[in-house]
Every structure is written in structure tokens, then in C-alpha cells.
Amino acid sequence: MNDRYPGEEPRIADFHCDVLSKLLADPRLDPIDSANNRGPVTLDATLDRQRAGGYMLQAYAIYLTESKPKTMDAVLRSADLFEQKIAAHPGYAKVRVRRDLERALQEGKIAALLTLEGADALQGDWALLRTAFALGVRVLGLTWNYANWAADGVLEPRQGGLTAKGRELVDAARDLGLLLDVSHLTDAGFWELVERTERPLIASHSNSRRICPHPRNLTDDQLRALIAMDGRIGLTYVPYFITDRGQAAASDLLPHIEHICSLGGEDQLMLGSDFDGIEQHPAGLRHAGEAGQLRQEVERAYGAAFAEKLLGGNAIRFLRQNLPE
């Protein structure tokens, strides 16, 4: 099935944004119409901006900030905000299983996928894990930048891997059909996860460490491992993950694309903007409505067929192969 409508340019699938975190802090924000958000806090990935950018899929992360307790109550409230303010709107279609995705593509709606960034609130309780899955969570990142009961994050000083309970979590996620996200894991945790899992992994929002030496980016060996398992690598717009030279622009993503493709990753690259999780933006990528800038850069450098895969096709193919039936 073609993922585009006749005559349309390649459409966007974005595997990471933090709209729900902002909504949890201020439920008065409007994720539909950007004109309604005129205060000091606004939203990058609103429906009107997604439509202007040509989106077909947006993954919404449940992310609980470090400043407040990471409780299951906050996860439930985030999921409720997703249901009431996003999934209930006729412009979106909530995606739990493959047929939901196909219906969204056929009807021209933006497929809305729920993810969980950090297992902190699950407390090592598999009933809570099953509850998150029942709410529609389909992708789980074990931790954020620091340690929790399951794993160490990339900024944790001890740089450990998975805990014993974290290894049990990997097995429980496998049994549920929950996909796992390696963004934010330490290098040690990454390799433990690769050894333990049988399903392809994703890095929802990470770039190449060879091009920009930030610990949140991936080494060549990590990139090769994700490519070999037909996982996915979500290019992110965080400026200091793109370049260590200061202000970034959309064109500065091209060296990351070039390098990952040189490792064989043309069919594994996708997008993971981190919109609404970043305070600074690359020039030309201030919000979802400017995705056309990246499309132009990619098409100019690599052609329309490659742009179609990178901007959305690779992500959609992955979900078709790995979402529950």
C-alpha cells in the first residue's frame, strides 16, 4: 500500500514528541490549534502545524519530568490527556494494532501512537506494565538520562547496564508485544538489551556520535547493531545532538544521514524530532509546520525516493511489521 496520497510529497512520521509532558504541566494548552497557545509556554507539534508539515504519524511520549514524582497516577493522567485532547479529535486516529494504522493512512488522519519514556512509574510491577499496554502504550524506553529500578541512563555516573529487575522487564515486554527504545540507555545497557531481546529495537530520538560526540548519540557499533536487526534510528532535532558548533540548522542533519547510510542504514532511518522536549530549535525546524524545510534538504541531497523512506516510509514499514495484529 502506498503511504502517500496521489500528487502529495513524502509524508512525515515522527517517532518522538513531548506534547503530553507540557499538557500534564498545563492542561489549558491546546494541542489542536497553535493560535490558542500564546503564553510563555507553547506547543511545537499541534494538529494545525502537523497538517502544514504533511504528517501522517506522531508518537506521543509519556514523559514525567525530574522535578515531580514519577508515579503511575501521572502516567494515567498523561494517558487521559492523550485520549481527551488528541485521540478524541477527528483529525487523529489512535494506533494500538496494525489495522488502526492502516485505517488512519486510508482515511488521511494522523496516526497517534502512545509511548512511555522511562519505566520509573511502573515500579517493577507487571500489573502496572500490563495496564500501560492496555492504555495503548506500544513503545517503552527503560529509563531517561539517570538511573531507575530498571536501568542506568546515559548521564548516570556509574554507567551501569540493566538491573536484575530490568532484565525481567525486557522479558515481560517481549511477552506483551511491547517494543523497546534504547534512546537514553547507557552503552552497557544498550548491549545488554541487544543480547537479551529477540525483537528489533528502536532509538526513537538519537543521532550519530561519530558526527556529534554527545553521549545521547549512538556509536557506529550501536548503529550497525540496530541496522542488522532491522530496528530504527530516529534522527532528532535537539541542536546539541546535531552539532557541537553552536546553532544548528536543518541542513546539519545531512552529515548524520550520510554517515548512517554509509553504515548500511538507508532503510532503518526515520525521524524522532523531540518537539516540545527542547527549548532551542534548529533554524528551519522550529515546529512541526516547518518539516517541509527538512524535506527540501533531503530531496535536494538524496532524491525523492530516499526522502520518502526517511521521512515516513521506514517508520510505517516498521510498525506494519511489529505492531500487534
Side-chain angles (χ1 to χ4, degrees):
M1 181 182 296
N2 197 328
D3 298 325
R4 297 193 312 185
Y5 295 106
E8 282 196 351
E9 295 178 313
R11 301 176 71 213
I12 302 292
D14 179 357
F15 241 79
H16 190 84
C17 79
D18 282 311
V19 167
L20 296 180
S21 182
K22 285 186 174 178
L23 288 177
L24 188 63
D26 185 358
R28 295 170 298 178
L29 289 168
D30 186 354
I32 305 303
D33 188 348
S34 59
N36 293 331
N37 301 316
R38 298 188 179 277
V41 178
T42 61
L43 292 175
D44 304 328
T46 50
L47 177 61
D48 62 323
R49 287 174 165 173
Q50 291 164 338
R51 283 174 167 164
Y55 275 55
M56 61 178 165
L57 180 137
Q58 179 70 70
Y60 291 89
I62 296 175
Y63 167 63
L64 309 179
T65 65
E66 298 297 297
S67 62
K68 294 183 179 179
K70 298 189 176 187
T71 63
M72 195 63 186
D73 176 73
V75 170
L76 295 173
R77 291 182 183 278
S78 298
D80 184 65
L81 287 164
F82 174 76
E83 292 288 345
Q84 300 303 319
K85 287 183 166 284
I86 296 168
H89 191 278
Y92 292 106
K94 182 178 178 179
V95 171
R96 291 172 178 257
V97 295
R98 296 177 200 177
R99 64 177 175 273
D100 297 334
L101 177 64
E102 300 301 348
R103 186 178 300 116
L105 295 172
Q106 290 167 0
E107 295 178 358
K109 297 183 177 184
I110 296 174
L113 182 72
L114 193 59
T115 74
L116 180 57
E117 187 174 21
D120 305 62
L122 303 179
Q123 303 168 38
D125 185 333
W126 308 145
L128 297 183
L129 178 68
R130 291 190 294 271
T131 297
F133 189 81
L135 290 170
V137 171
R138 290 297 177 265
V139 181
L140 171 66
L142 274 65
T143 189
W144 191 62
N145 283 339
Y146 301 102
N148 63 12
W149 60 267
D152 276 9
V154 293
L155 300 185
E156 187 64 34
R158 67 184 173 187
Q159 290 294 295
L162 308 183
T163 66
K165 198 71 174 177
R167 290 190 286 274
E168 291 180 28
L169 172 62
V170 173
D171 297 342
R174 176 200 61 214
D175 294 342
L176 273 177
L178 191 61
L179 297 164
L180 295 177
D181 184 353
V182 302
S183 286
H184 291 287
L185 272 178
T186 59
D187 290 1
F190 175 96
W191 291 113
E192 283 190 65
L193 192 52
V194 168
E195 287 287 325
R196 193 167 191 89
T197 188
E198 299 171 358
R199 304 188 72 199
L201 303 168
I202 70 165
S204 62
H205 54 308
S206 298
N207 294 335
S208 163
R209 200 181 301 177
R210 174 69 65 88
I211 301 302
C212 180
H214 192 284
R216 271 281 285 102
N217 287 337
L218 299 167
T219 68
D220 284 3
D221 284 344
Q222 289 175 317
L223 291 166
R224 289 189 187 97
L226 292 172
I227 292 165
M229 67 174 67
D230 198 26
R232 291 296 181 272
I233 302 145
L235 293 170
T236 188
Y237 308 164
V238 182
Y240 45 93
F241 296 175
I242 297 175
T243 179
D244 57 2
R245 301 189 306 274
Q247 175 63 39
S251 60
D252 290 318
L253 281 166
L254 296 182
H256 292 271
I257 295 169
E258 186 79 32
H259 182 65
I260 294 169
C261 286
S262 76
L263 301 176
E266 178 176 334
D267 294 323
Q268 286 74 41
L269 273 170
M270 62 179 187
L271 301 179
S273 70
D274 209 4
F275 277 142
D276 293 300
I278 50 178
E279 296 179 358
Q280 298 176 326
H281 299 76
L285 285 173
R286 295 172 300 167
H287 54 70
E290 294 189 342
Q293 299 270 10
L294 180 59
R295 175 187 293 121
Q296 291 174 9
E297 294 285 352
V298 174
E299 287 192 341
R300 186 180 302 118
Y302 306 110
F306 176 81
E308 183 172 358
K309 292 196 291 185
L310 168 67
L311 299 176
N314 288 341
I316 296 300
R317 179 168 60 85
F318 181 82
L319 290 174
R320 281 176 168 155
Q321 293 170 345
N322 292 288
L323 278 175
E325 293 184 5

Coordinates of all heavy atoms in Angstrom, one line a residue, residues 206-281:
S206 N 17.8 9.8 18.6 CA 19.2 9.8 18.7 C 19.9 9.9 17.4 O 19.4 9.4 16.4 CB 19.7 8.5 19.4 OG 19.2 8.3 20.7
N207 N 21.1 10.6 17.4 CA 21.8 10.8 16.1 C 23.1 10.0 16.2 O 23.3 9.1 17.0 CB 22.1 12.3 15.9 CG 20.8 13.1 15.6 OD1 19.8 12.5 15.2 ND2 20.8 14.3 15.9
S208 N 24.1 10.3 15.3 CA 25.4 9.7 15.2 C 26.4 10.3 16.1 O 26.7 11.5 16.0 CB 25.9 9.7 13.8 OG 27.3 9.4 13.7
R209 N 27.0 9.5 17.0 CA 28.0 10.0 17.9 C 29.3 10.4 17.1 O 30.1 11.2 17.5 CB 28.3 9.0 19.0 CG 29.0 9.7 20.2 CD 29.2 8.7 21.3 NE 28.0 8.0 21.8 CZ 28.0 7.1 22.8 NH1 29.2 6.7 23.3 NH2 26.9 6.5 23.1
R210 N 29.5 9.7 16.0 CA 30.7 10.0 15.2 C 30.6 11.4 14.6 O 31.7 12.1 14.6 CB 30.8 9.0 14.0 CG 31.9 9.3 13.0 CD 33.3 9.1 13.6 NE 33.5 7.7 13.9 CZ 34.0 6.8 13.1 NH1 34.3 7.1 11.8 NH2 34.2 5.5 13.5
I211 N 29.4 11.8 14.3 CA 29.3 13.2 13.7 C 29.2 14.2 14.8 O 29.7 15.3 14.7 CB 28.0 13.2 12.8 CG1 28.1 12.2 11.7 CG2 27.8 14.6 12.3 CD1 29.3 12.4 10.8
C212 N 28.5 13.9 15.9 CA 28.4 14.9 17.0 C 28.6 14.1 18.3 O 27.8 13.2 18.7 CB 27.0 15.5 17.1 SG 26.8 16.7 18.4
P213 N 29.7 14.3 19.0 CA 30.1 13.4 20.1 C 29.4 13.7 21.4 O 30.0 14.0 22.4 CB 31.6 13.7 20.3 CG 31.8 15.1 19.8 CD 30.8 15.3 18.7
H214 N 28.1 13.5 21.4 CA 27.3 13.6 22.6 C 26.9 12.2 23.1 O 26.6 11.4 22.3 CB 26.0 14.5 22.3 CG 25.3 14.9 23.6 ND1 24.5 14.0 24.3 CD2 25.2 16.1 24.2 CE1 23.9 14.6 25.3 NE2 24.4 15.9 25.3
P215 N 26.9 12.0 24.4 CA 26.6 10.6 24.9 C 25.2 10.1 24.5 O 25.0 8.9 24.6 CB 26.8 10.7 26.4 CG 26.8 12.1 26.7 CD 27.3 12.8 25.5
R216 N 24.3 11.0 24.2 CA 22.9 10.6 23.8 C 22.9 10.1 22.4 O 21.9 9.5 22.0 CB 22.0 11.7 24.0 CG 21.3 11.8 25.4 CD 20.2 10.8 25.6 NE 19.0 11.3 24.9 CZ 18.6 10.9 23.7 NH1 19.2 9.9 23.1 NH2 17.5 11.4 23.1
N217 N 23.9 10.3 21.7 CA 24.0 9.8 20.3 C 24.6 8.4 20.3 O 25.1 7.9 21.3 CB 24.8 10.8 19.4 CG 24.1 12.0 19.1 OD1 22.8 12.1 19.1 ND2 24.8 13.1 18.8
L218 N 24.5 7.7 19.2 CA 24.9 6.3 19.0 C 26.2 6.1 18.4 O 26.5 6.8 17.4 CB 23.8 5.6 18.2 CG 22.4 5.6 18.9 CD1 21.4 5.1 17.8 CD2 22.3 4.7 20.1
T219 N 27.0 5.2 18.9 CA 28.3 4.8 18.3 C 28.0 4.1 17.0 O 26.9 3.6 16.7 CB 29.1 4.0 19.2 OG1 28.5 2.7 19.3 CG2 29.3 4.6 20.6
D220 N 29.1 4.0 16.1 CA 28.9 3.2 14.9 C 28.6 1.8 15.2 O 27.7 1.2 14.4 CB 30.3 3.3 14.1 CG 30.5 4.6 13.4 OD1 29.6 5.5 13.6 OD2 31.5 4.7 12.7
D221 N 29.1 1.2 16.2 CA 28.8 -0.2 16.5 C 27.3 -0.4 16.9 O 26.6 -1.3 16.5 CB 29.7 -0.8 17.6 CG 31.1 -1.1 17.1 OD1 31.3 -1.2 15.9 OD2 32.0 -1.3 18.0
Q222 N 26.8 0.6 17.7 CA 25.4 0.6 18.0 C 24.5 0.8 16.8 O 23.5 0.0 16.7 CB 25.1 1.7 19.1 CG 25.7 1.4 20.4 CD 25.5 2.6 21.4 OE1 25.7 3.7 21.0 NE2 25.2 2.3 22.6
L223 N 24.9 1.7 16.0 CA 24.1 1.9 14.7 C 24.1 0.6 13.9 O 23.1 0.2 13.4 CB 24.7 3.1 13.9 CG 24.5 4.4 14.6 CD1 25.4 5.5 13.9 CD2 23.1 4.9 14.5
R224 N 25.3 0.0 13.8 CA 25.3 -1.3 13.0 C 24.4 -2.4 13.6 O 23.8 -3.1 12.9 CB 26.8 -1.8 12.9 CG 27.7 -0.9 12.0 CD 29.0 -1.6 11.8 NE 30.0 -0.8 11.1 CZ 30.9 -0.1 11.7 NH1 31.1 -0.1 13.0 NH2 31.8 0.7 11.0
A225 N 24.4 -2.4 14.9 CA 23.6 -3.4 15.6 C 22.1 -3.2 15.3 O 21.3 -4.1 15.0 CB 23.8 -3.4 17.1
L226 N 21.6 -1.9 15.3 CA 20.3 -1.6 15.0 C 19.9 -1.9 13.6 O 18.9 -2.4 13.3 CB 20.0 -0.2 15.4 CG 20.0 0.2 16.9 CD1 19.9 1.7 17.1 CD2 18.9 -0.5 17.6
I227 N 20.9 -1.6 12.7 CA 20.7 -1.8 11.3 C 20.6 -3.3 11.0 O 19.7 -3.8 10.3 CB 21.8 -1.2 10.5 CG1 21.7 0.3 10.5 CG2 21.8 -1.7 9.0 CD1 23.0 1.0 10.1
A228 N 21.4 -4.1 11.7 CA 21.4 -5.6 11.4 C 20.1 -6.2 11.8 O 19.7 -7.2 11.2 CB 22.6 -6.2 12.2
M229 N 19.5 -5.7 12.9 CA 18.2 -6.3 13.3 C 17.0 -5.7 12.7 O 15.9 -6.0 13.0 CB 18.1 -6.2 14.9 CG 18.0 -4.8 15.4 SD 17.7 -4.7 17.2 CE 19.2 -5.3 17.8
D230 N 17.2 -4.8 11.7 CA 16.2 -4.0 11.1 C 15.4 -3.2 12.1 O 14.1 -3.2 12.1 CB 15.2 -4.9 10.3 CG 14.4 -4.1 9.3 OD1 14.8 -3.0 8.8 OD2 13.3 -4.6 8.9
G231 N 16.1 -2.7 13.1 CA 15.5 -1.7 14.0 C 15.4 -0.4 13.4 O 15.4 -0.2 12.1
R232 N 15.2 0.7 14.2 CA 15.0 2.0 13.6 C 15.8 3.0 14.4 O 16.0 2.9 15.6 CB 13.5 2.4 13.6 CG 12.7 1.7 12.6 CD 13.1 1.9 11.2 NE 12.3 1.2 10.2 CZ 12.5 0.0 9.8 NH1 13.6 -0.7 10.2 NH2 11.7 -0.6 8.9
I233 N 16.3 4.1 13.7 CA 17.1 5.1 14.2 C 16.4 6.4 13.9 O 16.3 6.8 12.8 CB 18.5 5.1 13.6 CG1 19.2 3.8 13.8 CG2 19.4 6.3 14.2 CD1 20.1 3.3 12.7
G234 N 15.9 7.1 15.0 CA 15.1 8.3 14.8 C 16.0 9.6 14.9 O 16.4 10.0 16.0
L235 N 16.3 10.2 13.7 CA 17.0 11.4 13.8 C 16.3 12.5 14.6 O 15.1 12.7 14.4 CB 17.2 11.9 12.3 CG 18.1 11.1 11.4 CD1 18.0 11.6 10.0 CD2 19.5 11.1 11.8
T236 N 17.0 13.1 15.5 CA 16.4 14.1 16.4 C 16.9 15.5 16.1 O 18.0 15.7 15.6 CB 16.6 13.7 17.8 OG1 15.9 14.5 18.7 CG2 18.1 13.8 18.2
Y237 N 16.1 16.5 16.5 CA 16.3 17.9 16.1 C 17.0 18.6 17.3 O 17.1 19.8 17.2 CB 15.1 18.6 15.7 CG 14.2 18.0 14.7 CD1 12.9 18.3 14.5 CD2 14.7 17.0 13.8 CE1 12.1 17.8 13.5 CE2 14.0 16.4 12.9 CZ 12.6 16.8 12.7 OH 11.9 16.2 11.7
V238 N 17.3 17.9 18.4 CA 18.0 18.6 19.5 C 19.3 19.2 19.0 O 20.2 18.5 18.5 CB 18.3 17.6 20.6 CG1 18.9 18.3 21.8 CG2 17.0 16.8 21.1
P239 N 19.4 20.5 19.1 CA 20.6 21.2 18.4 C 21.9 20.6 18.8 O 22.8 20.4 18.0 CB 20.4 22.6 18.8 CG 19.0 22.8 18.9 CD 18.5 21.5 19.6
Y240 N 22.1 20.3 20.1 CA 23.4 19.9 20.6 C 23.6 18.4 20.4 O 24.6 17.8 20.8 CB 23.7 20.3 22.1 CG 22.5 20.1 23.0 CD1 22.4 18.9 23.7 CD2 21.6 21.1 23.2 CE1 21.3 18.7 24.6 CE2 20.5 20.9 24.1 CZ 20.4 19.7 24.8 OH 19.3 19.5 25.6
F241 N 22.6 17.7 19.8 CA 22.8 16.3 19.3 C 23.2 16.3 17.8 O 23.5 15.3 17.3 CB 21.6 15.5 19.5 CG 21.2 15.2 21.0 CD1 20.0 14.5 21.2 CD2 21.9 15.6 22.0 CE1 19.6 14.3 22.5 CE2 21.5 15.4 23.3 CZ 20.4 14.7 23.6
I242 N 22.9 17.5 17.2 CA 23.2 17.6 15.8 C 24.6 18.1 15.5 O 25.3 17.6 14.6 CB 22.2 18.6 15.1 CG1 20.7 18.0 15.3 CG2 22.5 18.8 13.7 CD1 19.7 19.0 14.8
T243 N 25.0 19.1 16.3 CA 26.4 19.7 16.1 C 26.9 20.2 17.4 O 26.1 20.6 18.3 CB 26.3 20.8 15.0 OG1 27.6 21.4 14.9 CG2 25.3 21.9 15.4
D244 N 28.2 20.2 17.5 CA 28.8 20.8 18.7 C 29.4 22.2 18.4 O 30.2 22.7 19.1 CB 29.9 19.9 19.3 CG 31.0 19.5 18.2 OD1 30.9 20.0 17.1 OD2 31.9 18.8 18.6
R245 N 29.0 22.7 17.2 CA 29.5 24.0 16.8 C 28.5 25.2 17.1 O 28.6 26.3 16.6 CB 29.7 24.0 15.3 CG 30.7 23.0 14.8 CD 31.0 23.1 13.4 NE 29.9 23.2 12.5 CZ 29.3 22.1 12.0 NH1 29.7 20.9 12.3 NH2 28.2 22.2 11.3
G246 N 27.5 25.0 18.0 CA 26.6 26.0 18.4 C 25.3 25.8 17.6 O 24.7 24.7 17.5
Q247 N 24.7 26.9 17.1 CA 23.4 26.9 16.4 C 23.4 25.9 15.3 O 24.3 25.9 14.5 CB 23.1 28.3 15.9 CG 21.8 28.4 15.1 CD 20.6 28.0 15.9 OE1 20.5 28.4 17.1 NE2 19.6 27.3 15.3
A248 N 22.3 25.1 15.3 CA 22.1 24.1 14.2 C 21.1 24.6 13.2 O 20.2 25.4 13.5 CB 21.7 22.8 14.8
A249 N 21.1 24.0 12.1 CA 20.1 24.2 11.0 C 19.7 22.8 10.5 O 20.3 21.8 10.7 CB 20.7 25.0 9.9
A250 N 18.5 22.8 9.8 CA 18.0 21.6 9.2 C 19.1 20.9 8.4 O 19.2 19.7 8.4 CB 16.8 21.9 8.4
S251 N 19.9 21.7 7.7 CA 20.9 21.1 6.8 C 22.0 20.3 7.6 O 22.7 19.5 7.0 CB 21.5 22.1 5.9 OG 22.1 23.1 6.7
D252 N 22.1 20.7 8.9 CA 23.2 20.0 9.7 C 22.8 18.5 10.0 O 23.7 17.8 10.5 CB 23.4 20.8 10.9 CG 24.1 22.1 10.7 OD1 25.0 22.1 9.9 OD2 23.7 23.1 11.3
L253 N 21.6 18.1 9.7 CA 21.2 16.7 9.9 C 21.8 15.9 8.7 O 21.9 14.6 8.9 CB 19.7 16.5 9.9 CG 19.1 16.9 11.3 CD1 17.6 17.0 11.1 CD2 19.4 15.8 12.3
L254 N 22.2 16.5 7.6 CA 22.6 15.7 6.4 C 23.9 14.9 6.7 O 24.0 13.8 6.3 CB 22.8 16.7 5.2 CG 21.6 17.4 4.7 CD1 21.9 18.2 3.5 CD2 20.5 16.4 4.4
P255 N 24.9 15.4 7.5 CA 26.0 14.6 7.7 C 25.7 13.3 8.6 O 26.3 12.3 8.4 CB 27.0 15.5 8.5 CG 26.6 16.9 8.1 CD 25.1 16.8 7.9
H256 N 24.7 13.5 9.5 CA 24.2 12.3 10.2 C 23.6 11.3 9.3 O 23.9 10.1 9.3 CB 23.2 12.7 11.3 CG 23.8 13.5 12.4 ND1 24.4 13.0 13.5 CD2 24.0 14.9 12.5 CE1 24.8 13.9 14.3 NE2 24.6 15.1 13.7
I257 N 22.8 11.8 8.4 CA 22.1 10.9 7.4 C 23.2 10.2 6.5 O 23.1 9.0 6.3 CB 21.1 11.7 6.5 CG1 20.0 12.2 7.4 CG2 20.6 10.8 5.4 CD1 19.1 13.2 6.6
E258 N 24.1 11.0 6.0 CA 25.2 10.5 5.2 C 26.0 9.4 5.9 O 26.2 8.3 5.3 CB 26.1 11.6 4.8 CG 27.2 11.2 3.7 CD 26.6 11.2 2.3 OE1 25.7 11.9 2.0 OE2 27.1 10.3 1.6
H259 N 26.3 9.6 7.1 CA 27.1 8.6 7.8 C 26.4 7.4 8.2 O 26.9 6.3 8.0 CB 27.7 9.3 9.1 CG 28.6 8.3 9.9 ND1 29.8 7.9 9.4 CD2 28.4 7.7 11.1 CE1 30.4 7.1 10.3 NE2 29.5 7.0 11.3
I260 N 25.1 7.5 8.6 CA 24.4 6.3 9.0 C 24.1 5.5 7.7 O 24.1 4.2 7.7 CB 23.1 6.7 9.7 CG1 23.4 7.3 11.1 CG2 22.2 5.5 9.9 CD1 22.3 8.0 11.8
C261 N 23.9 6.2 6.6 CA 23.7 5.4 5.3 C 25.0 4.7 4.9 O 24.9 3.6 4.3 CB 23.2 6.4 4.2 SG 21.5 6.9 4.4
S262 N 26.1 5.3 5.2 CA 27.4 4.7 4.9 C 27.6 3.4 5.7 O 28.3 2.5 5.2 CB 28.6 5.6 5.1 OG 28.9 5.7 6.5
L263 N 26.9 3.2 6.8 CA 26.9 2.0 7.6 C 25.9 1.0 7.1 O 25.8 -0.1 7.7 CB 26.7 2.3 9.1 CG 27.7 3.3 9.7 CD1 27.3 3.6 11.1 CD2 29.1 2.7 9.6
G264 N 25.1 1.4 6.1 CA 24.0 0.5 5.6 C 22.6 0.8 6.1 O 21.7 -0.1 6.0
G265 N 22.4 2.0 6.7 CA 21.1 2.3 7.4 C 20.1 3.0 6.6 O 19.2 3.6 7.2
E266 N 20.1 3.0 5.3 CA 19.2 3.7 4.5 C 17.7 3.3 4.8 O 16.8 4.1 4.8 CB 19.5 3.5 3.0 CG 18.5 4.2 2.0 CD 18.8 4.0 0.6 OE1 20.1 3.8 0.3 OE2 17.9 4.1 -0.3
D267 N 17.5 2.0 5.0 CA 16.1 1.5 5.3 C 15.8 1.5 6.8 O 14.7 1.1 7.1 CB 16.0 0.1 4.7 CG 16.1 0.1 3.2 OD1 15.6 1.0 2.6 OD2 16.7 -0.9 2.7
Q268 N 16.7 2.0 7.6 CA 16.4 2.0 9.1 C 16.3 3.4 9.7 O 15.9 3.6 10.8 CB 17.5 1.2 9.8 CG 17.4 -0.3 9.7 CD 17.9 -0.8 8.3 OE1 18.8 -0.3 7.7 NE2 17.1 -1.7 7.7
L269 N 16.6 4.4 8.9 CA 16.5 5.8 9.3 C 15.0 6.2 9.4 O 14.2 5.9 8.5 CB 17.3 6.7 8.4 CG 18.8 6.9 8.7 CD1 19.5 7.6 7.6 CD2 19.0 7.6 10.1
M270 N 14.7 7.0 10.4 CA 13.4 7.7 10.5 C 13.6 9.0 11.2 O 14.7 9.4 11.4 CB 12.4 6.8 11.2 CG 12.7 6.4 12.6 SD 11.4 5.3 13.3 CE 12.0 5.3 15.0
L271 N 12.5 9.6 11.7 CA 12.6 10.9 12.4 C 12.1 10.7 13.8 O 11.1 10.0 14.1 CB 11.7 11.9 11.7 CG 12.1 12.2 10.2 CD1 11.1 13.3 9.7 CD2 13.5 12.7 10.1
G272 N 12.7 11.4 14.7 CA 12.3 11.5 16.1 C 12.6 12.9 16.6 O 13.5 13.1 17.4
S273 N 11.7 13.8 16.3 CA 12.1 15.3 16.4 C 12.4 15.7 17.8 O 13.3 16.5 18.0 CB 10.9 16.1 15.9 OG 9.8 16.0 16.8
D274 N 11.7 15.2 18.8 CA 11.8 15.7 20.2 C 11.1 17.1 20.3 O 11.4 17.8 21.3 CB 13.2 15.7 20.8 CG 13.2 15.5 22.3 OD1 12.1 15.3 22.9 OD2 14.3 15.6 22.9
F275 N 10.2 17.4 19.4 CA 9.5 18.6 19.6 C 8.8 18.7 20.9 O 8.3 17.6 21.4 CB 8.4 18.8 18.5 CG 8.9 19.3 17.2 CD1 8.5 18.8 16.0 CD2 9.9 20.3 17.2 CE1 8.9 19.4 14.8 CE2 10.3 20.9 16.0 CZ 9.9 20.4 14.8
D276 N 8.7 19.8 21.5 CA 8.1 20.1 22.8 C 8.9 19.5 24.0 O 8.6 19.6 25.1 CB 6.7 19.6 22.9 CG 5.8 20.5 22.0 OD1 5.7 21.7 22.2 OD2 5.2 19.9 21.1
G277 N 10.1 18.9 23.6 CA 11.0 18.4 24.7 C 12.3 19.2 24.6 O 13.2 19.0 25.3
I278 N 12.3 20.2 23.7 CA 13.5 21.0 23.5 C 13.2 22.5 23.6 O 12.1 22.9 23.2 CB 14.2 20.7 22.1 CG1 13.2 20.8 21.0 CG2 14.9 19.4 22.2 CD1 13.8 20.6 19.6
E279 N 14.1 23.3 24.2 CA 13.9 24.7 24.4 C 14.5 25.5 23.2 O 14.1 26.6 22.9 CB 14.5 25.2 25.7 CG 13.8 24.6 26.9 CD 14.5 25.0 28.2 OE1 15.5 25.8 28.1 OE2 14.0 24.6 29.3
Q280 N 15.6 24.9 22.6 CA 16.2 25.5 21.4 C 15.9 24.6 20.2 O 15.7 23.4 20.3 CB 17.7 25.7 21.6 CG 18.1 26.5 22.7 CD 19.6 26.6 22.9 OE1 20.3 25.6 22.7 NE2 20.1 27.7 23.3
H281 N 15.8 25.3 19.0 CA 15.4 24.5 17.8 C 16.4 24.9 16.7 O 17.0 26.0 16.7 CB 14.0 24.9 17.3 CG 12.9 24.6 18.3 ND1 12.7 25.4 19.4 CD2 12.0 23.6 18.3 CE1 11.7 24.9 20.1 NE2 11.2 23.8 19.5

